[in-house]
Amino acid sequence: MKKTCGKVAFYVAIIVICLIMVTPVYLLAKVSFSVKSEILTQHPTLLIHQFTWEHWLNVFRSGNLWAPLKKSLIVSCLTTLGSLVIVVPASYVVSRMSKKKRYAFVLGLFFTRMIPSVAIALPISVTFLKMDLIDTSLGLVLANMITQIPFMAWILVSTFAEVPVALDEAAWIDGASRLQAIVKVILPVSMQGIAVSAMYVWLNAWNEFTYAMYLSNNSKTLPLQIYYYVSRGNVFERAAYSTILAIPVILVTFVLQRYLKPDYLGGSVKG
């Protein structure tokens, strides 16, 4: 009886948590797909009774969607790729250090995150202005990497540290070079951590607002464009913009979810 009650309570808790997470997204989509009379009423219903594409078509026709969407995609993808190129090899090297050195390295990275992004956004914008990086995708990518590299390194150092050194040694005994051992042995069994860190960085770069505010004058990212619509537009177009912003997040999470499995490293080395 206790086990049954425990399982029921567990599943009820899971359902409640899922509802709490999904409900705001659903309500956002509902507003973007409902006619005005269905929302602007004293007692709006939970379901969509009169479906319409009007608000989405207004967003598409406004001419203020595709350029911000393209820039957000470019910045997010380049930030993720650039961070992976830098962090993956560096994290592997750090993971093979002693625990004390590894801890000091990760702690040093987190010390760089003690200063809020808002505090360093202005100096960065002044520096980038001198370098002619304002209103460029490269400028936003470099700014985003400042905040994302420490967190990606934290995840990947821990991931590589879980890979037994015996795998490296076995690859060397079989004649593989250090680079071949990393590419053919270490990276495949570490793919879960790499996927998680990449997804984390991509989502943060996709939703980044502070640096976009300081480093974008004419060419805006999608979150910045939504901010202007929140300030000036109507509630239905805001909901449509926000729903569009959430779609790539859902797609990226769906693509990478196959790597989000427990015990991904289990069985890599048999005792």
Side-chain angles (χ1 to χ4, degrees), residues 140-170:
L140 274 178
V141 169
L142 294 176
N144 287 336
M145 287 174 65
I146 293 174
T147 59
Q148 300 310 319
I149 282 179
F151 288 105
M152 177 177 275
W154 173 56
I155 295 173
L156 292 186
V157 167
S158 300
T159 298
F160 289 132
E162 292 295 322
V163 179
V165 180
L167 280 182
D168 304 59
E169 296 172 347

Side-chain angles (χ1 to χ4, degrees), residues 249-271:
V249 174
I250 297 172
L251 293 177
V252 169
T253 304
F254 177 78
V255 170
L256 296 180
Q257 57 84 27
R258 67 191 183 100
Y259 294 108
L260 308 181
K261 299 176 182 177
D263 299 327
Y264 195 85
L265 300 178
S268 57
V269 174
K270 296 182 179 179

Side-chain angles (χ1 to χ4, degrees), residues 154-227:
W154 173 56
I155 295 173
L156 292 186
V157 167
S158 300
T159 298
F160 289 132
E162 292 295 322
V163 179
V165 180
L167 280 182
D168 304 59
E169 296 172 347
W172 299 339
I173 291 174
D174 290 338
S177 64
R178 184 177 292 272
L179 180 60
Q180 289 175 330
I182 294 173
V183 173
K184 296 182 178 181
V185 179
I186 306 302
L187 292 186
V189 300
S190 306
M191 194 54 65
Q192 180 191 23
I194 295 173
V196 170
S197 64
M199 183 172 66
Y200 176 87
V201 169
W202 194 93
L203 294 178
N204 277 284
W206 175 257
N207 292 315
E208 207 287 322
F209 178 80
T210 303
Y211 291 123
M213 174 71 78
Y214 279 88
L215 300 177
S216 301
N217 292 328
N218 299 319
S219 58
K220 302 178 180 64
T221 60
L222 195 56
L224 193 58
Q225 187 66 35
I226 292 174
Y227 167 75

